[in-house]
Amino acid sequence: MIISTKLIPRGFSAFCLWPFIFVRPEFRSDTALIEHELVHYREQAWITPVWVILYLVSRKFRLAAEVRAYTRQIEVGGVTREQAAHALMSYRLGISYGKAMQELA
Ligand SMILES: [Zn+2]
């Protein structure tokens, strides 16, 4: 997705942070520049499938990812630590409630 914005670091016309390409409005129709950013876009895109595969096959990776996400959810008051610990047990992580509480501490 290409986003026209003036919020581009000084000295740059565009940059890519998958799945977005940010480009200064005056460079929006610079197709060569967009092609340049599309190279970065394609290079970055493989990281997402790798993340998904790791998430699916590795309990350790999945636990770490969910602990980071639930920690944030707790921080913003969405759930309690106890609720998050219960939720963590439904990710096929093979962990006990006690271990889940410990991970979220
Ligand atoms: Zn570049």
Side-chain angles (χ1 to χ4, degrees), residues 2-4 13 23-31 33-34:
I2 299 174
I3 295 172
S4 248
S13 310
V23 58
R24 286 190 192 277
E26 61 270 36
F27 289 97
R28 180 63 186 83
S29 54
D30 185 335
T31 53
L33 175 67
I34 300 298

Side-chain angles (χ1 to χ4, degrees), residues 11-102:
F12 292 90
S13 310
F15 70 94
C16 177
L17 195 61
W18 198 88
F20 304 106
I21 290 173
F22 299 92
V23 58
R24 286 190 192 277
E26 61 270 36
F27 289 97
R28 180 63 186 83
S29 54
D30 185 335
T31 53
L33 175 67
I34 300 298
E35 284 300 318
H36 173 119
E37 296 308 326
L38 282 170
V39 171
H40 294 313
Y41 183 92
R42 289 181 207 109
E43 285 176 0
Q44 290 175 21
W46 68 269
I47 291 169
T48 298
V50 168
W51 190 96
V52 171
I53 289 164
L54 284 173
Y55 184 91
L56 293 174
V57 303
S58 165
R59 280 182 176 177
K60 204 176 162 190
F61 184 89
R62 191 160 66 243
L63 174 62
E66 290 307 333
V67 165
R68 287 193 300 272
Y70 276 112
T71 298
R72 181 60 185 151
Q73 199 174 347
I74 293 165
E75 266 173 21
V76 299
V79 291
T80 64
R81 187 167 155 237
E82 291 74 15
Q83 287 172 323
H86 274 293
L88 265 185
M89 294 174 72
S90 53
Y91 288 86
R92 293 183 302 109
L93 294 164
I95 60 169
S96 64
Y97 179 75
K99 167 80 170 151
M101 283 295 279
Q102 194 184 321

